[in-house]
Amino acid sequence: ELIGLNNDLQNVRDSLAYPLIVVDDYQRVVLFNPAAHQIFDVSTAPIGQVLHSLPCHLDLLDLRASVMNVINTGAVHERQINSARCYAMNIRPYIDDKGRRHGAVLSFVENTETVRAEQHLIEANQRLAKAERFFRSTFDVSPASICIVDPSGVVVEVNEPWRRFAAENGGAEES
């Protein structure tokens, strides 16, 4: 029965699509899944090796300190890593069955598409704001009386010359 449970845990670990690495108190690798190769060079049996000695495919200069802080304090560390591929890095304490910290669990969730979509949205909002400023500057200084209506005929915008014209001719000043 114990062998069956161990096999189940190995299958779960290996089926995770995101990189997962577990280190002990001394930051030695005790467990990793196949997806970990996306972040670290784990092709040469890294079990027992110190995490920061493994070649890394990302800029994780503060990883050693972050892992040690999680091990020492139990505080979760989260960080967004942006490079050619983007990841949400999460470092949590590894807690034993007695509630004691004995290392850390590192996971990296690939979120490149989300980060790129957010960047595109920010850029689109900046372009929209620029277009709005241009519209305002042109609309408000135009000497022509301009009234914009929606498809149902409701007035949605008028410029200053329109307001003056309306006021001078008995219409509502603000429309």
Side-chain angles (χ1 to χ4, degrees), residues 2-173:
L2 188 57
I3 292 172
L5 289 174
N6 189 42
N7 287 340
D8 288 345
L9 286 175
Q10 286 177 1
N11 286 333
V12 168
R13 175 199 67 198
D14 292 347
S15 69
L16 293 174
Y18 59 86
L20 177 74
I21 295 183
V22 180
V23 297
D24 66 11
D25 292 336
Y26 301 102
Q27 297 192 34
R28 293 179 302 221
V29 176
V30 295
L31 182 109
F32 67 98
N33 70 344
H37 79 278
Q38 296 173 27
I39 309 296
F40 297 98
D41 183 3
V42 292
S43 59
T44 57
I47 300 296
Q49 291 185 37
V50 177
L51 180 65
H52 63 267
S53 70
L54 296 175
C56 184
H57 306 301
L58 299 173
D59 180 17
L60 300 176
L61 299 177
D62 64 340
L63 183 63
R64 178 190 231 174
S66 298
V67 172
M68 191 50 69
N69 184 59
V70 170
I71 292 170
N72 290 336
T73 68
V76 173
H77 177 81
E78 295 175 331
R79 180 173 143 208
Q80 178 61 40
I81 301 162
N82 295 333
S83 60
R85 293 180 69 164
C86 302
Y87 294 88
M89 178 179 74
N90 188 295
I91 307 171
R92 295 183 172 275
Y94 176 81
I95 308 293
D96 69 11
D97 59 340
K98 293 183 174 69
R100 297 177 297 205
R101 291 186 304 272
H102 281 293
V105 179
L106 294 82
S107 61
F108 299 81
V109 177
E110 199 267 337
N111 61 358
T112 304
E113 293 302 317
T114 302
V115 169
R116 300 295 184 256
E118 287 173 352
Q119 290 170 343
H120 290 303
L121 185 58
I122 289 168
E123 291 166 4
N125 282 334
Q126 290 169 342
R127 288 190 304 273
L128 183 61
K130 184 178 178 180
E132 172 70 18
R133 286 190 303 274
F134 177 75
F135 168 76
R136 276 280 138 226
S137 67
T138 305
F139 186 74
D140 290 339
V141 300
S142 173
S145 297
I146 302 172
C147 175
I148 300 174
V149 295
D150 70 12
S152 64
V154 175
V155 174
V156 293
E157 190 76 46
V158 296
N159 68 350
E160 186 57 36
W162 177 276
R163 285 188 195 91
R164 277 195 312 271
F165 175 80
E168 292 168 0
N169 293 287
E173 288 186 32

